[in-house]
Amino acid sequence: MFSGVVFVVNHGCDDDSDEENVMDLVAHRRRLRKEVDPLELPEKTFILNFRVSKALFLELDGLIADSIAPKHNRGLSPRVKLAATLRFLAQGSYQQSVANDFAVPIGQSTFSKVLEQTLNVLESKLAHLISLEMTEDEKSEARRYFFEKTGIPGVVMCVDGSHIKIIPPHEDPVLYYNRKGFYSLNALMICDHSKKIRYVNARFSGSNHDSFIFNNSTCMGFFEDKWRNGERMFKLLGDSAYASKPWLIKPFRNPDPDTPESSFNLKHSRGRSIIEQTFGSLKNRFRCILGARQLHYAPPKCVKIVNVCCALHNLCIREGLPEIED
C-alpha cells in the first residue's frame, strides 16, 4: 500500500545513467497513476484523505475536467490533478499522510504547476458558493439562532479576522509581519449560524488591522446598502475592533462587573463564538492553513488557496460531511 502523496525531487542528470534513472522514474510514476484509483478507497478513508465525499469529488471532477484536461495522452488526467490538489489542501504538506493507503505519484515540480492550474479553475468555478445574499429561510434561521444566543434581534452573521501563516514574501516582507510575531495574511471572514463562510477577503497583509480591512472591503458597502434600503433586520456581530455602525453590533468596552453592559457582552460573546468555531472547522478540515503550518507560496497564490478552502468548506457543509477532529 502507498502512503501519502509521493513527490520526488530530480537532482539533475550528470551522465547517461542518471538520465536513464530519471526516465525510469517518470515511467514508474505513470504506471502507478494508472494502477491507483482513489475512488476504490472506503468512503471514510476517502474523506480523511481528500476532505470531500466520493460523490462530491466526482461533482468537482465533472465541473473542472474540461478546463484542466491534458493536452496530450501522457498528461495528467483531471482526476489526478484534483486528487493531488485536495490532498495538499487537506494535509498542508507534500508527503505526510492521514491514512496509509493512497498515493498520487507526481514529481514536485509537476505538482507546483498542477496546483496553480487547479486552484485557478476551482477559484473561478466555486466563487458563487461564497455569498452574503441569503434566502428568506436562511435569514429566519440565522435570526432565530442569534437571538437565542444573544437576545439581539436581527443578527444574521458574524465577522472577524484570522491570520494565515505564510513564509516571508520577497517583496515588502515587513508588511506581512503581524503583531503576533509571524508573517501572515489577515483574512477577513464573515460566517452565518451554520458556520458557512459568507464572505472572505484574504488580500491584506498581516500587519493590517481588522477594522482597516473591513473598511476597505466590499462587504461594508453591502451591509450599508441593506440598511439604507430599509432592511433593519440584517445585522452583523463584530468585536470591539470594528467601528460602530447601526447594523454592526459590537460589545461595550471595559464594562464594570455585574452591570447590564457586562451582561450584554457575555451574551454577545456567546453569539459571536460561531465565527471562532468556523475558523476552527475550516482550518482543521484544510490543514494547509492551520496555524501550526505555513504556506510556502507568494501572497497572491496564498490568497487563492484560502479562497478555494473556504468554498470547499461550504460545499462540505452543504453535503453534511462530518468535521475533522484535531
Side-chain angles (χ1 to χ4, degrees), residues 231-284:
E231 194 163 346
R232 302 305 167 86
M233 297 291 284
F234 201 90
K235 300 174 185 175
L236 188 63
L237 285 184
D239 64 23
S240 57
Y242 299 97
S244 295
K245 300 286 182 181
W247 43 265
L248 199 161
I249 311 301
K250 51 186 287 187
F252 292 96
R253 283 187 178 274
N254 304 316
D256 293 328
D258 302 320
T259 61
E261 289 79 9
S262 65
S263 177
F264 175 88
N265 281 6
L266 179 60
K267 293 178 181 178
H268 185 282
S269 178
R270 289 172 182 164
R272 210 174 60 82
S273 66
I274 192 71
I275 187 69
E276 296 299 334
Q277 295 172 30
T278 300
F279 291 151
S281 177
L282 172 70
K283 292 182 178 183
N284 278 332

Side-chain angles (χ1 to χ4, degrees), residues 44-55:
K44 185 175 180 180
T45 305
F46 188 94
I47 293 173
L48 283 175
N49 274 279
F50 301 104
R51 301 307 199 243
V52 298
S53 64
K54 293 182 184 180

Side-chain angles (χ1 to χ4, degrees), residues 90-108:
Q91 198 60 49
S93 64
Y94 293 144
Q95 297 187 35
Q96 188 175 356
S97 179
V98 174
N100 296 321
D101 46 17
F102 181 72
V104 182
I106 303 175
Q108 187 172 347

Side-chain angles (χ1 to χ4, degrees), residues 8-12 22 25-26 29 109:
V8 181
V9 180
N10 296 336
H11 295 286
V22 170
L25 180 58
V26 171
R29 291 197 192 111
S109 61

Side-chain angles (χ1 to χ4, degrees), residues 101-282:
D101 46 17
F102 181 72
V104 182
I106 303 175
Q108 187 172 347
S109 61
T110 301
F111 174 74
S112 181
K113 298 175 184 177
V114 165
L115 181 63
E116 180 73 23
Q117 181 189 33
T118 310
L119 282 175
N120 287 340
V121 177
L122 285 172
E123 185 182 39
S124 174
K125 297 288 187 180
L126 302 181
H128 67 282
L129 295 170
I130 302 174
S131 174
L132 288 167
E133 293 290 356
M134 304 178 82
T135 66
E136 292 303 319
D137 286 344
E138 287 173 334
K139 291 176 188 176
S140 296
E141 291 174 9
R143 289 167 186 150
R144 186 180 307 112
Y145 170 89
F146 286 111
F147 186 77
E148 289 176 355
K149 293 285 185 180
T150 68
I152 304 170
V155 175
V156 292
M157 303 182 203
C158 287
V159 61
D160 203 357
S162 181
H163 287 276
I164 308 298
K165 188 181 290 187
I166 64 173
I167 61 170
H170 293 300
E171 295 184 12
D172 300 319
V174 67
L175 297 179
Y176 293 85
Y177 195 75
N178 64 44
R179 58 184 174 80
K180 298 182 179 182
F182 58 89
Y183 297 91
S184 70
L185 302 173
N186 190 357
L188 175 76
M189 295 190 201
I190 296 176
C191 76
D192 65 14
H193 61 293
S194 66
K195 301 182 187 177
K196 184 176 180 180
I197 296 170
R198 292 287 181 168
Y199 182 86
V200 57
N201 185 347
R203 295 183 298 106
F204 287 85
S205 60
S207 64
N208 284 290
H209 193 270
D210 288 358
S211 62
F212 174 83
I213 297 172
F214 184 76
N215 291 340
N216 288 275
S217 297
T218 56
C219 59
M220 183 172 178
F222 178 87
F223 283 93
E224 289 277 12
D225 289 343
K226 288 283 187 183
W227 188 263
R228 289 196 194 100
N229 293 331
E231 194 163 346
R232 302 305 167 86
M233 297 291 284
F234 201 90
K235 300 174 185 175
L236 188 63
L237 285 184
D239 64 23
S240 57
Y242 299 97
S244 295
K245 300 286 182 181
W247 43 265
L248 199 161
I249 311 301
K250 51 186 287 187
F252 292 96
R253 283 187 178 274
N254 304 316
D256 293 328
D258 302 320
T259 61
E261 289 79 9
S262 65
S263 177
F264 175 88
N265 281 6
L266 179 60
K267 293 178 181 178
H268 185 282
S269 178
R270 289 172 182 164
R272 210 174 60 82
S273 66
I274 192 71
I275 187 69
E276 296 299 334
Q277 295 172 30
T278 300
F279 291 151
S281 177
L282 172 70

